[in-house]
Amino acid sequence: MATVTLTLADDVAVITIDNPPINATSHSVRAGLVDALDKIEKDTAVKAAILICDGKTFIAGADVSEFGQPPKNPILPDVIKRLEASTKPVIAAIHGHALGGGLEVALGCHYRIAVISAKLGLPEVNLGLIPGAGGTVRLPRLISTENAISLITSGKPVSASAASDMGLIDAMAHGELIDAAKDFAKTIINHPCPTPLVDRAPVDPLGDDQWQETFAAVTKKARGQIAPQIAATAIRTGIEQGGAAGLTHEREKFVELRDSDQSKALRHIFFAERSVGKLPDIDGVKPNTLSEIGVIGGGIMGAGIATASLLVGFNVKIIERNEDACATGQATVEKHLTGSLKRGLISQERFDSVMASLSTSMDYADLGNADLVVEAVFEDMSVKHDVFGKLSLYCKPTAVLASNTSYLDINEIAAKCVNPARVIGLHFFSPAHIMKLLEIVRTDKADAKTLATAFAFAHKLGKIAVPCGVCDGFIGNRIMSAYRKHCEYMLEDGALPHQIDDAMVAFGFPMGLFDMQDMAGLEISWATRKRLAPFRDPSERYVALGDYLCEMERFGKKNGLGWYRYDENGKAQPDPDVDALVIAESAKKGITRRDFTHDEIIETILSAMQNEGDKILAEGIANSPDAIDVVMINGYGFPRHKGGPMFLTNPHHGTR
Ligand code: NAD
């Protein structure tokens, strides 16, 4: 079936694209568009045209199956030039998403009209690219340079009303989009066709100083990603050297970036995130209907999980130990939601209705209607057993029972339940209402329905769900423990905490390991180490520096001293006392200290991650190397543009 059809209604032609699911700019669409434009040009009855899409959205991107293939004519830049050269005005009628090449097509049209729910954006930088079909040249000829830079270098889409405010669209459609577009056509039909954007003057060229500031700001935000900087340069070139030169420059840079390591890495992780949760064994399995969620424990994690669940429309019951803890849990959720309200993410009305969907209780009998319960109580096996015993007793037989434990054996938790087939691990990351990652831990006995329901819950929460098996620390914490050990070895062998952290930040992590430990607080892992001390293999190398810090009551940022010393503004400074402690420990163990370069530090960290990753794969804890990359990037700050530790060992991709 044709993906592009042309119909005539009075003197307005309607070009309709129907290329599900996202009306991508596939070859048939590009060819169909050129064909339709040729017909319109020849038809003297036609005075204007509307470009509209069937299905859920306007053109929302490129055809991924064409990635890595040799480009097939007509290529998108040429289609857009053809569109722009039409002597009859073309109106883009936008619903759903106009993204990437989709927005570039809309920019090639002479007018744009959109429904209120539409979103418009140029997300190419998220894949390590820049717009390659004129976006960097046409956009600053329609909206301010500042807005164009922000839209292109952030990759974030904007709402139709924001797009209207900045002049990106000409009119908002009320009622049926096609009718609104036809009404709009009547208002412009007797006017001359507007000058194509590429031939217009830029809206507001910036001075040299403003450009320097822009480049500095873009580079800072990009944290090592090259595409945003190259996009800003392309915008400047298009503004200062004229439309035609701008288009040539943009295309050259687009092609260069398409073959870059960063783009390959970003494309790898983009696809990995979309495929990692697809499990063949739950294909076709119908999940339970979810409407009420129980959360046991209203602490840091419980309150976050409750907030995330409330925000997507679930009724939530928090069970706590006493009235004070109930009140604290409720207050924490309210604080999170107030944050969403203040940032304009939810309205006051929605805040009120969401808060009304929350209740707290000390009585497990109140969980009789819960469809899924997440336990987030203290990390202690006897407490978990006690909680799951009560859940077995009070929850309906179909309810899925999940634990948010970080390290405990969920099989052991499940074993004591009446029906272990419905027990699963849902390992959220802190803050649970913000972090996208969720490890779904398959217990040995979890059945397909339980698994399917857990994935449906994750999907509803908008999380990236990664399936994994039961082991100490699952995928992420296990890899982190492994590389932390090697960082501690490096301390004794010659590196200092800030040198390791500096190397990690230079590599692209938002913060280094020791900085992160100080943020989280050192005493929790100290308690774990003390608990596990009797079971430690005495022949394994053990670094006691973290224990010494805690013995000196250096618990991290919250008390001003940890691996670093914190000034009155809370800024970390390397501490000579810690350096001396580290150096003395090497001497005590008879280790001759040596210098570590940044590269050596990163190589050590990467190989620790990769070795542990290989073990995790061999044991079947992770389904694929992609799963490990997705976890490390979304849960542990691994730089996205490096693709993940497993991708770096074997960048098998590059075809996308
Ligand atoms: P927390 O101490 O902040 O909260 C635990 C809450 O559980 C407390 O409010 C406590 O009153 C309540 N509680 C204890 N026993 C209870 C019982 N029998 N019935 C009802 N409520 C009870 O701890 P947290 O940081 O939220 O961690 C909770 C769980 O999540 C732990 O298993 C932890 O390992 C795991 N986890 C924590 C993080 C993190 O970053 N904090 C991340 C992932 C997973």
Side-chain angles (χ1 to χ4, degrees):
M1 229 194 66
T3 52
V4 181
T5 49
L6 178 65
T7 51
L8 205 61
D10 304 325
D11 43 9
V12 178
V14 178
I15 308 170
T16 308
I17 299 177
D18 184 12
N19 187 27
I22 61 155
N23 288 313
T25 52
S26 314
H27 177 255
S28 68
V29 170
R30 303 195 301 271
L33 271 176
V34 172
D35 197 38
L37 290 166
D38 285 346
K39 285 188 182 129
I40 289 167
E41 205 63 56
K42 284 186 199 127
D43 189 336
T44 49
V46 174
K47 298 245 174 61
I50 293 167
L51 174 59
I52 193 163
C53 292
D54 266 350
K56 286 197 190 130
T57 183
F58 191 73
I59 304 168
D63 184 340
V64 290
S65 69
E66 289 180 13
F67 276 30
Q69 309 279 329
K72 209 163 148 195
N73 285 327
I75 58 169
L76 193 61
D78 293 342
V79 176
I80 295 172
K81 278 184 196 156
R82 174 70 193 79
L83 193 54
E84 201 168 43
S86 166
T87 57
K88 319 214 171 154
V90 186
I91 301 153
I94 299 168
H95 74 296
H97 289 86
L99 296 180
L103 183 54
E104 290 178 297
V105 167
L107 289 170
C109 295
H110 303 91
Y111 300 99
R112 286 144 296 276
I113 173 166
V115 297
I116 184 87
S117 57
K119 292 222 152 62
L120 298 88
L122 290 166
E124 285 82 352
V125 290
N126 298 329
L127 296 181
L129 300 168
I130 62 170
T136 64
V137 175
R138 292 189 180 93
L139 200 58
R141 288 169 161 77
L142 185 65
I143 65 176
S144 73
T145 306
E146 191 189 343
N147 283 334
I149 289 168
S150 157
L151 213 69
I152 292 172
T153 62
S154 77
K156 289 197 186 116
V158 293
S159 66
S161 61
S164 170
D165 289 346
M166 55 177 79
L168 180 50
I169 55 181
D170 301 282
M172 299 290 271
H174 304 285
E176 279 296 311
L177 177 59
I178 185 67
D179 296 337
K182 283 178 183 167
D183 288 345
F184 183 83
K186 283 183 201 139
T187 67
I188 53 107
I189 213 155
N190 291 319
H191 295 258
C193 200
T195 312
L197 280 176
V198 79
D199 297 328
R200 291 190 210 168
V203 173
D204 58 346
L206 304 183
D208 203 42
D209 288 352
Q210 288 167 300
W211 276 114
Q212 295 320 321
E213 277 167 30
T214 299
F215 285 128
V218 168
T219 308
K220 187 158 176 239
K221 258 203 186 141
R223 284 220 318 266
Q225 286 198 37
I226 52 173
Q229 178 79 272
I230 292 175
T233 308
I235 296 170
R236 184 174 191 180
T237 307
I239 290 176
E240 294 182 352
Q241 296 181 22
L247 288 179
T248 311
H249 173 88
E250 180 199 76
R251 190 71 195 166
E252 259 171 42
K253 293 293 159 192
F254 171 82
V255 171
E256 250 172 64
L257 282 174
R258 204 175 49 192
D259 294 331
S260 68
D261 288 346
Q262 286 201 359
S263 181
K264 284 178 192 161
L266 287 163
R267 268 145 42 199
H268 153 70
I269 201 67
F270 177 86
F271 289 106
E273 283 171 356
R274 277 149 190 80
S275 64
V276 75
K278 292 198 174 107
L279 284 188
D281 35 349
I282 58 166
D283 227 13
V285 179
K286 197 167 174 285
N288 292 343
T289 308
L290 296 174
S291 112
E292 186 167 307
I293 305 299
V295 178
I296 318 298
I300 299 175
M301 294 308 289
I305 295 164
T307 307
S309 307
L310 286 163
L311 279 170
V312 296
F314 290 121
N315 289 320
V316 175
K317 281 216 163 77
I318 295 180
I319 303 288
E320 259 291 357
R321 294 179 299 166
N322 52 47
E323 278 178 8
D324 280 356
C326 282
T328 307
Q330 167 114 8
T332 312
V333 173
E334 189 166 349
K335 196 176 100 199
H336 293 333
L337 291 171
T338 307
S340 304
L341 179 69
K342 280 194 182 141
R343 272 177 281 136
L345 300 176
I346 54 171
S347 64
Q348 182 65 48
E349 201 186 350
R350 180 126 168 73
F351 174 90
D352 295 340
S353 79
V354 162
M355 277 309 289
S357 308
L358 171 69
S359 59
T360 60
S361 166
M362 291 172 286
D363 188 355
Y364 282 71
D366 286 342
L367 291 175
N369 282 329
D371 303 298
L372 182 149
V373 179
V374 189
E375 163 281 309
V377 300
F378 301 136
E379 185 78 337
D380 180 311
M381 191 53 100
S382 62
V383 183
K384 306 270 187 201
H385 276 318
D386 178 48
V387 168
F388 276 80
K390 289 184 185 141
L391 295 178
S392 293
L393 210 60
Y394 290 107
C395 292
K396 59 187 179 189
T398 52
V400 167
L401 309 180
S403 174
N404 181 46
T405 179
S406 305
Y407 286 97
L408 298 177
D409 182 346
I410 307 180
N411 283 327
E412 196 185 324
I413 296 176
K416 297 237 174 123
C417 285
V418 178
N419 179 7
R422 60 175 170 149
V423 178
I424 200 158
L426 287 179
H427 185 229
F428 287 84
F429 288 72
S430 185
H433 59 299
I434 292 174
M435 293 286 281
K436 281 275 207 184
L437 181 64
L438 179 62
E439 286 177 323
I440 298 193
V441 190
R442 303 177 72 154
T443 51
D444 291 347
K445 299 217 167 109
D447 62 20
K449 190 98 172 156
T450 300
L451 206 54
T453 306
F455 273 95
F457 179 53
H459 183 73
K460 185 79 194 278
L461 295 179
K463 302 286 183 200
I464 301 172
V466 180
C468 61
V470 177
C471 70
D472 201 16
F474 316 122
I475 299 177
N477 278 344
R478 183 166 155 182
I479 291 186
M480 195 178 76
S481 299
Y483 92 77
R484 187 181 54 217
K485 208 157 64 178
H486 284 269
C487 287
E488 290 168 356
Y489 295 165
M490 281 193 279
L491 289 184
E492 283 186 346
D493 291 342
L496 292 169
H498 62 92
Q499 288 169 341
I500 294 179
D501 283 356
D502 287 350
M504 289 179 73
V505 170
F507 181 71
F509 281 90
M511 58 169 69
L513 177 75
F514 297 104
D515 203 356
M516 194 173 71
Q517 287 186 16
D518 271 1
M519 282 265 290
L522 303 182
E523 74 284 8
I524 298 169
S525 50
W526 185 40
T528 311
R529 286 197 299 277
K530 282 197 285 192
R531 183 164 50 82
L532 296 177
F535 312 104
R536 198 179 297 137
D537 176 358
S539 65
E540 199 185 327
R541 182 173 177 184
Y542 181 72
V543 178
L545 287 163
D547 299 346
Y548 299 161
L549 292 179
C550 290
E551 284 158 14
M552 293 155 75
E553 298 192 348
R554 299 181 68 119
F555 294 131
K557 188 167 178 177
K558 64 185 150 210
N559 75 338
L561 291 170
W563 290 104
Y564 291 90
R565 166 178 297 277
Y566 292 84
D567 65 20
E568 57 282 7
N569 303 317
K571 202 170 166 341
Q573 308 291 350
D575 187 341
D577 292 349
V578 173
D579 294 355
L581 187 76
V582 170
I583 292 165
E585 187 66 1
S586 308
K588 194 167 113 192
K589 289 197 171 174
I591 300 168
T592 308
R593 293 178 66 81
R594 67 176 183 88
D595 289 341
F596 280 83
T597 63
H598 276 196
D599 283 353
E600 271 177 294
I601 291 170
I602 292 302
E603 266 166 36
T604 305
I605 289 173
L606 286 179
S607 76
M609 287 181 171
Q610 288 153 357
N611 286 338
E612 200 61 29
D614 287 342
K615 284 188 208 155
I616 283 173
L617 286 170
E619 291 168 26
I621 298 297
N623 290 352
S624 64
D626 288 9
I628 296 172
D629 289 340
V630 169
V631 167
M632 296 317 291
I633 285 176
N634 289 287
Y636 298 84
F638 195 97
R640 199 176 170 82
H641 61 278
K642 303 270 165 130
M646 305 314 280
F647 175 79
L648 283 178
T649 353
N650 178 19
H652 45 95
H653 327 264
T655 49
R656 286 162 170 163

